Amino acid sequence: MLLSRCLLLASLAAAGPAVAGDLSYSYGEARAVAADARGPGEARGLSLNGSLTLTRTVFAGLRYVDLGEDGDQRLGTERATLLAGMRYPFTPMVDIVGFAGVLHEAVHRPRGDDRGIGLVLGGGGRAALGSRYEASARIEYTQIFSDGITAIAGEALWHVTHQFSLLAGAEASVQERTATVGARLQF
């Protein structure tokens, strides 16, 4: 019985709409974010991200994250990042990606806000796993508030249609672990 249900689900997934073999870099997405700092406190919030293809190998991106208060431990953080990136199509289904950007972060505390401008540098890969799934992994270095932070991240996408995808991701650094779930609209 279980095997027949699995086979039915697999055949429905395979029969659904396919995505193009070329990975898209023009999209907008919204994610729910849960962050667990290595010290006291947790935060929850929203992330809005976008990317726009400029040429076949060059893209621009924008990330905005707003993490809100959780008790009195962490009152809030806002991050906005402007990115420029390049992709190298390693195969029709795998891209190698590099990016650099500028980050603005504001940490809201009772005694006042700490604000800073920093740099982001990273790279990784994206892979189409068949016609309906995609996975990516990256390593990212951020320099802000006189701290250098290296994070590793990964995400998985399920392309429900050619333009709409559901996604989940995770990121870990020495300071924080983050989990996200959301949706992406490709254009």
Side-chain angles (χ1 to χ4, degrees):
M1 185 67 150
L2 178 61
L3 180 60
S4 63
R5 287 184 184 167
C6 289
L7 289 173
L8 176 63
L9 289 174
S11 64
L12 288 173
V19 296
D22 199 22
L23 296 166
S24 173
Y25 287 80
S26 291
Y27 60 82
E29 64 185 31
R31 301 178 185 215
V33 179
D36 178 17
R38 299 286 175 155
E42 294 181 5
R44 307 238 183 282
L46 176 69
S47 172
L48 301 173
N49 306 305
S51 179
L52 183 62
T53 301
L54 302 176
T55 70
R56 175 141 171 78
T57 59
V58 177
F59 62 93
L62 181 64
R63 298 182 197 158
Y64 175 76
V65 179
D66 186 0
L67 297 173
E69 177 180 343
D70 186 22
D72 290 333
Q73 303 293 335
R74 182 177 179 155
L75 295 178
T77 301
E78 289 179 86
R79 293 180 195 122
T81 309
L82 180 61
L83 299 166
M86 291 191 69
R87 67 182 274 235
Y88 172 74
F90 189 66
T91 72
M93 305 297 265
V94 176
D95 281 357
I96 306 299
V97 180
F99 56 89
V102 177
L103 164 73
H104 177 268
E105 184 168 324
V107 179
H108 307 293
R109 296 188 175 127
R111 68 178 194 284
D113 294 351
D114 290 331
R115 297 180 183 274
I117 303 273
L119 298 175
V120 177
L121 214 64
R126 288 180 66 191
L129 306 173
S131 62
R132 299 191 44 101
Y133 304 98
E134 181 182 322
S136 67
R138 72 177 189 277
I139 186 164
E140 187 171 307
Y141 176 77
T142 303
Q143 177 73 39
I144 191 161
F145 297 124
S146 301
D147 291 328
I149 302 160
T150 302
I152 56 171
E155 65 184 22
L157 281 82
W158 172 41
H159 300 293
V160 179
T161 69
H162 182 67
Q163 284 133 347
F164 180 74
S165 303
L166 297 176
L167 57 93
E171 183 174 314
S173 71
V174 171
Q175 293 186 337
E176 190 174 73
R177 292 179 305 256
T178 305
T180 62
V181 293
R184 176 181 288 182
L185 184 62
Q186 300 182 106
F187 49 91

